[in-house]
mmCIF file of all heavy atoms in Angstrom:
data_model
loop_
_atom_site.group_PDB
_atom_site.id
_atom_site.type_symbol
_atom_site.label_atom_id
_atom_site.label_comp_id
_atom_site.label_asym_id
_atom_site.label_seq_id
_atom_site.Cartn_x
_atom_site.Cartn_y
_atom_site.Cartn_z
ATOM 1 N N GLU A 17 30.073 -1.734 -14.128
ATOM 2 C CA GLU A 17 30.645 -0.636 -13.489
ATOM 3 C C GLU A 17 32.174 -0.741 -13.571
ATOM 4 O O GLU A 17 32.782 -1.804 -13.529
ATOM 5 C CB GLU A 17 30.260 -0.505 -11.950
ATOM 6 C CG GLU A 17 30.639 -1.761 -11.124
ATOM 7 C CD GLU A 17 30.199 -1.558 -9.679
ATOM 8 O OE1 GLU A 17 29.198 -0.880 -9.410
ATOM 9 O OE2 GLU A 17 30.861 -2.130 -8.825
ATOM 10 N N ALA A 182 12.259 -27.043 10.418
ATOM 11 C CA ALA A 182 12.504 -25.820 11.147
ATOM 12 C C ALA A 182 13.909 -25.357 11.064
ATOM 13 O O ALA A 182 14.269 -24.167 10.902
ATOM 14 C CB ALA A 182 12.102 -25.973 12.656
ATOM 15 N N ASN A 235 -0.911 -12.298 -10.125
ATOM 16 C CA ASN A 235 -1.016 -10.793 -10.337
ATOM 17 C C ASN A 235 -0.715 -10.081 -8.979
ATOM 18 O O ASN A 235 -0.085 -8.985 -9.058
ATOM 19 C CB ASN A 235 -2.467 -10.485 -10.808
ATOM 20 C CG ASN A 235 -2.728 -10.820 -12.207
ATOM 21 O OD1 ASN A 235 -1.775 -10.980 -13.078
ATOM 22 N ND2 ASN A 235 -3.983 -11.089 -12.584
#
Side-chain angles (χ1 to χ4, degrees):
E17 62 179 28
N235 286 337

